[in-house]
Structure formats: structure tokens, C-alpha cells
């Protein structure tokens, strides 16, 4: 197991997320379409790649990341392109004769604003074209289409194109999911680091996604995080006592692999710089400070807010996060004053707080009236770089 920090992990570097994978496969087997729910960096994309790299028998998997698509046409373009890609087609040769023959015989000329244009001159609506390609797939095969950063795509379409197009994409997906001919053959798995629910509720279309089976990807449990950290230490050959690992996990608190890897990386550097260095609590504190210097690991937490919200909403969220970063916690009674200052009404403020929770910044798990950061490391970074 290598210590990968920030890239999607594959193969041996993937720490088995047994519970999540079992839950996802069970949902796929039962025929539901899935929304993978978790804030950024919790491990959704890595899980999706695991499913793609090691699918169960009878399943064929396509993975696409549609983050860069900012109009409806581009989204479909990406989907059809993925289905026409050489690698995918080659894989089909042994997996699904029907789909292989269909995809190699039906030639798509281009995917344009008017739909999918085929070489034979026909142009079909995106979802009709999709249905045609997949409908009578081999009897014992099912296609899993994983769409990463879907919420971001919908948000981009709202921003750069039109609410109408966003709705049309969401509706097309819903009708594909509800079309028995498609659903029998295809499972959609959507994921994204911003909440699809909050994006969709902004355009009052929450009903369009209420058929999805939401599966949460959670941080590691304490014991699992301990095992993960120990294994990481031994495979990259750094020596840490049980107590030191426990201290590190206390400091990380929000036990997603990413923050653990980030600190282990810094500890490795400390021990490389001084081979006699004992990796004790003070070394861990030093590693945290060093980790905080990596702007690139944290900055997206701020830029996403700036990009996704109106200026008032952004300033409101920033102030909330500033206050919590300063005082560790914030009482919900303070929210309304801050909202008024930024000209948001109570509902808008509540929706923003909901988004901050959903997107993984803060929680009120222990006491519903008290907010705090999920990650003390993010809290410290925010305090140092944004609040001050
Ligand atoms: N199962 C895992 N095993 C090891 N590292 C992981 C695992 N899941 C996530 N990570 C670490 O966390 C980072 C973020 O994971 P990623 O799958 O990109 O999350 P997300 O898609 O939720 O943003 C990865 O770059 C990797 O460092
Ligand atoms: Mg991801």
C-alpha cells in the first residue's frame, strides 16, 4: 500500500471499504439507481473505480466524470463518447456480444444540440438514442453507468446555460431510470462532492431525484482508521507507537483516509530529515502545521463556495465559517443576525447552513443547536488563511 495523497486510489492502494461496497452492490443487485452521498475527499471516486476495476459477474461498468461539462449537450457527448471508446468496446467483446455488435455497427456521427446524429442520417433525441443502444442487452448482463460530479454538471448547466436545460437533463435521466426497458439493463450510480439535493432544490426540482437510493459514504470508524494508519505506517516504513497513532487520529477527528495520509506524508518527511526523530505527539503537531501549508489541498473548500453561491450567500457562509474557526463552535441562535447582515432571510440562511453540513464543512451531530467543523485540520486552515 503506497501513501497516495490526493489522487484517486486504485488496486493495492485502495483500503477496502467493505461496508460501503457491500451496500452498493446490494443496491445494484436489487435494481435501484444510486446516489453516492459524501462530501469531497471522503472517497467516492475511489470507490467507483474499485467497482469499475473489479465488477461482479454479469456487470459491465462505465465510469465518466462530467465535472467539466457545462452544457447539456456536452454531458451527453461525454456519455456517448465513453460508450464508443476503444477500451470499453474491447472489453465488451468478451462481456456482451449484443452491445459489442451494436456499438461497432451503429456509428455515431456527432452528438450535437439537436441530439445524437448517426452516420446513416438519423438523428435521435439523447435519451432515445441511449435507450436504443442499451435496450436489449444480453440477457444476463447489466450495464452500470457511474457518473461522477453529476451535481457539479447540473450546477454548471444552471450557471452557464439555463435552468431549463438543467431540468431537461434531470428529467431525461429520471425518465431513463423509470423506463423498464432501460432499467432492466442499466443501473445509474451518481456521485458528486456537492450535494445534488441542494443543487436540485435550488431549482425546485427535488421530486426529479426522489427515486434515487441514497447511499452515504462515511468516514472510517475509529478501529478501522487505526488499522488503516498502522498498515500505512508499516508499508511506507515509518515507526509509530500505538499511542502516537491514537493521538494522530484524535487530532484528525474526521477520519477520512485523506487527512490521515496527509499527516503520514509529513511524518515521513520528518523522519527522512532526521532518521533519529521519534514520531511522537510533538512530531504529529509539527506534521499538522506542515500539512496546513499545502494551500492546494484546502483551497477548494473556499473556492467552491465562492463559485456556487451568490455574493451575499458566500459572505454569509464565510462569516459563519470564520466564527466557528475562531471559537471552535457556534450556537444556532447567532445565525439569524449574521443572515440579516448579509441580507438573507431565515429560509435562505437555513438552506446555506444545510449546504455547509451536507458538503462536509460543519456538523451539529452532538447538539443540534451547536455547530462545529467536521475536520479540525480544515478548521485550523480556514482560521489561518481565510478568517485572518
Ligand atoms: N479507500 C481508500 N483507500 C485509501 N485512500 C483513500 C481511499 N478513499 C479515499 N482515499 C484518499 O482520499 C483521497 C480522496 O479520495 P476520492 O476518492 O478522490 O474522494 P472523493 O471522490 O469523495 O472526493 C484520495 O486521493 C486518497 O488519498
Ligand atoms: Mg471525487
Amino acid at each position: 500500500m503506497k501513501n497516495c495523497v490526493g489522487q484517486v486510489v486504485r488496486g493495492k492502494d485502495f483500503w477496502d471499504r467493505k461496508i460501503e461496497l457491500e451496500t452498493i452492490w446490494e443496491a445494484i443487485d436489487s435494481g435501484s439507481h444510486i446516489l453516492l452521498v459524501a462530501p469531497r475527499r471522503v472517497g467516492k471516486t475511489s470507490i467507483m473505480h474499485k467497482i469499475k476495476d473489479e465488477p461482479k459477474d454479469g456487470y459491465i461498468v462505465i465510469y465518466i466524470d462530467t465535472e467539466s461539462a457545462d452544457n447539456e449537450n456536452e454531458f451527453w457527448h461525454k456519455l456517448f463518447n465513453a460508450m464508443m471508446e476503444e477500451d470499453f468496446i474491447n472489453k465488451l467483446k468478451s462481456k456482451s456480444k449484443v452491445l459489442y455488435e451494436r456499438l461497432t455497427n451503429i456509428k455515431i456521427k456527432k452528438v450535437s444540440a439537436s441530439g445524437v446524429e448517426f452516420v446513416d442520417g438519423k438523428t435521435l433525441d439523447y435519451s432515445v438514442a441511449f435507450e436504443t443502444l442499451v435496450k436489449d442487452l444480453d440477457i444476463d448482463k447489466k450495464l452500470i453507468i457511474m457518473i461522477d460530479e453529476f451535481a457539479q454538471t447540473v450546477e454548471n448547466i444552471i450557471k452557464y446555460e439555463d435552468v431549463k436545460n438543467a431540468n431537461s437533463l434531470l428529467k431525461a435521466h429520471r425518465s431513463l431510470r423509470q423506463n423498464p426497458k432501460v432499467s432492466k439493463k442499466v443501473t445509474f450510480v451518481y456521485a458528486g462532492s456537492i450535494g445534488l439535493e441542494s443543487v436540485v432544490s435550488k431549482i425546485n426540482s427535488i421530486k426529479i431525484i426522489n427515486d434515487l437510493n441514497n447511499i452515504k459514504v462515511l468516514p472510517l470508524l475509529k478501529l478501522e482508521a487505526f488499522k488503516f494508519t498502522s498498515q500505512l505506517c508499516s508499508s511506507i516504513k515509518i515507526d509509530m507507537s500505538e499511542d502516537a497513532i491514537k493521538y494522530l487520529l484524535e487530532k484528525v477527528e474526521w477520519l477520512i483516509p485523506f487527512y490521515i495520509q496527509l499527516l503520514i506524508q509529513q511524518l515521513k518527511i520528518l523522519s527522512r530529515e532526521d532518521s533519529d526523530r521519534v514520531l511522537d505527539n510533538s512530531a504529529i503537531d509539527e506534521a499538522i502545521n506542515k500539512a496546513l501549508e499545502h494551500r492546494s489541498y484546502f483551497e477548494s473548500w473556499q473556492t467552491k463556495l465562492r463559485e456556487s453561491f451568490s455574493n451575499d450567500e458566500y459572505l454569509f457562509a464565510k462569516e459563519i465559517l470564520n466564527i466557528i474557526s475562531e471559537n471552535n463552535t457556534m450556537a444556532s441562535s447567532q445565525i439569524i443576525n449574521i443572515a440579516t447582515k448579509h441580507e438573507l432571510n431565515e429560509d435562505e440562511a437555513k438552506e446555506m447552513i444545510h449546504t455547509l453540513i451536507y458538503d462536509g464543512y460543519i456538523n451539529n451531530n452532538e447538539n443540534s443547536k451547536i455547530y462545529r467543523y467536521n475536520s479540525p485540520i480544515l478548521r485550523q486552515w480556514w482560521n489561518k488563511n481565510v478568517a485572518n
Side-chain angles (χ1 to χ4, degrees):
M1 184 182 229
K2 287 196 300 292
N3 188 34
C4 305
V5 189
Q7 317 95 296
V8 170
V9 286
R10 313 270 291 254
K12 283 202 192 83
D13 299 325
F14 180 84
W15 175 259
D16 196 12
R17 310 280 318 242
K18 203 161 171 256
I19 297 171
E20 281 82 0
L21 284 163
E22 271 172 17
T23 311
I24 296 167
W25 277 115
E26 201 176 87
I28 292 173
D29 283 338
S30 78
S32 44
H33 300 281
I34 297 167
L35 176 62
L36 273 189
V37 180
R40 79 186 72 257
R41 295 249 163 83
V42 171
K44 299 173 297 296
T45 303
S46 301
I47 288 179
M48 292 171 115
H49 277 102
K50 175 78 175 177
I51 294 172
K52 180 181 172 202
D53 294 343
E54 294 166 35
K56 282 184 28 177
D57 279 351
Y59 289 100
I60 304 157
V61 187
I62 293 186
Y63 167 90
I64 52 171
D65 178 338
T66 60
E67 181 166 17
S68 62
D70 46 28
N71 60 57
E72 202 190 347
N73 164 29
E74 225 172 292
F75 171 87
W76 290 105
H77 197 156
K78 274 183 182 285
L79 180 56
F80 285 106
N81 253 4
M83 293 177 78
M84 300 294 155
E85 226 175 44
E86 208 182 313
D87 271 2
F88 178 69
I89 303 252
N90 284 340
K91 205 159 61 176
L92 284 180
K93 249 187 229 165
S94 60
K95 289 214 160 189
S96 166
K97 238 176 149 246
V98 175
L99 193 57
Y100 175 74
E101 277 166 12
R102 185 157 304 146
L103 291 179
T104 39
N105 288 331
I106 302 181
K107 297 260 187 297
I108 290 180
K109 193 167 141 208
K110 73 173 195 228
V111 182
S112 71
S114 44
V116 182
E117 297 174 29
F118 293 90
V119 170
D120 65 7
K122 247 195 312 199
T123 298
L124 295 176
D125 185 66
Y126 305 122
S127 44
V128 178
F130 181 81
E131 184 190 328
T132 318
L133 291 182
V134 299
K135 70 179 177 216
D136 30 57
L137 199 61
D138 313 47
I139 194 91
D140 55 343
K141 301 287 186 232
K142 200 164 176 186
L143 192 61
I144 300 173
I145 301 194
M146 297 193 291
I147 306 172
D148 207 352
E149 302 300 354
F150 185 67
Q152 187 64 57
T153 311
V154 176
E155 190 172 280
N156 291 346
I157 295 175
I158 297 172
K159 200 161 151 187
Y160 300 111
E161 207 171 23
D162 204 330
V163 169
K164 210 178 78 212
N165 296 78
N167 263 318
S168 133
L169 177 63
L170 289 162
K171 278 193 191 134
H173 271 260
R174 181 171 173 107
S175 72
L176 284 174
R177 296 193 299 268
Q178 300 206 322
N179 176 343
K181 278 191 221 141
V182 174
S183 240
K184 224 170 73 192
K185 290 290 152 203
V186 180
T187 293
F188 287 99
V189 179
Y190 305 89
S193 298
I194 54 170
L196 184 60
E197 282 176 354
S198 30
V199 174
V200 172
S201 75
K202 270 200 271 190
I203 55 172
N204 292 323
S205 300
I206 200 84
K207 277 201 301 256
I208 306 186
I209 57 161
N210 66 6
D211 60 311
L212 292 174
N213 184 345
N214 290 10
I215 297 180
K216 282 195 175 141
V217 182
L218 297 172
L220 303 178
L221 295 171
K222 268 197 190 131
L223 181 63
E224 217 194 342
F226 183 86
K227 289 186 191 154
F228 171 66
T229 315
S230 309
Q231 185 166 330
L232 209 52
C233 288
S234 71
S235 55
I236 66 161
K237 301 200 169 54
I238 61 172
D239 201 13
M240 268 175 83
S241 69
E242 273 192 20
D243 283 346
I245 294 179
K246 282 186 188 148
Y247 180 78
L248 180 143
L249 297 178
E250 258 169 49
K251 289 281 170 180
V252 171
E253 196 179 309
W254 196 44
L255 299 174
I256 61 174
F258 175 73
Y259 284 122
I260 298 172
Q261 292 161 333
L262 188 59
L263 297 190
I264 294 292
Q265 171 175 270
Q266 295 304 326
L267 288 164
K268 176 86 189 177
I269 295 172
L270 289 182
S271 68
R272 199 177 284 132
E273 283 166 358
D274 172 2
S275 55
D276 294 331
R277 178 83 192 248
V278 178
L279 299 179
D280 55 6
N281 297 3
S282 78
I284 291 165
D285 292 337
E286 196 177 326
I288 294 174
N289 286 332
K290 284 256 161 36
L292 291 173
E293 286 166 17
H294 290 272
R295 273 195 91 88
S296 60
Y297 291 140
F298 300 98
E299 227 162 37
S300 58
W301 289 94
Q302 185 184 8
T303 42
K304 283 286 168 180
L305 289 178
R306 202 187 292 127
E307 283 164 5
S308 303
F309 297 103
S310 71
N311 199 41
D312 286 334
E313 287 168 329
Y314 166 67
L315 292 174
F316 167 78
K318 192 168 107 172
E319 186 164 348
I320 296 275
L321 293 168
N322 287 356
I323 292 173
I324 311 179
S325 80
E326 193 68 38
N327 306 334
N328 272 323
T329 57
M330 190 188 86
S332 57
S333 54
Q334 277 181 266
I335 294 171
I336 193 71
N337 280 339
I338 303 165
T340 315
K341 194 168 142 193
H342 297 290
E343 292 176 10
L344 299 188
N345 66 36
E346 198 179 335
D347 286 346
E348 289 162 338
K350 276 201 182 129
E351 190 58 45
M352 279 305 295
I353 296 284
H354 184 80
T355 304
L356 292 179
I357 293 175
Y358 196 93
D359 290 355
Y361 294 77
I362 56 174
N363 72 72
N364 57 345
N365 297 340
E366 259 170 48
N367 176 341
S368 64
K369 293 195 166 69
I370 305 283
Y371 295 96
R372 48 186 294 139
Y373 273 82
N374 283 338
S375 162
I377 297 183
L378 178 62
R379 181 188 74 73
Q380 287 173 64
W381 181 83
W382 193 279
N383 191 257
K384 217 165 134 185
N385 296 278
V386 186
N388 286 295

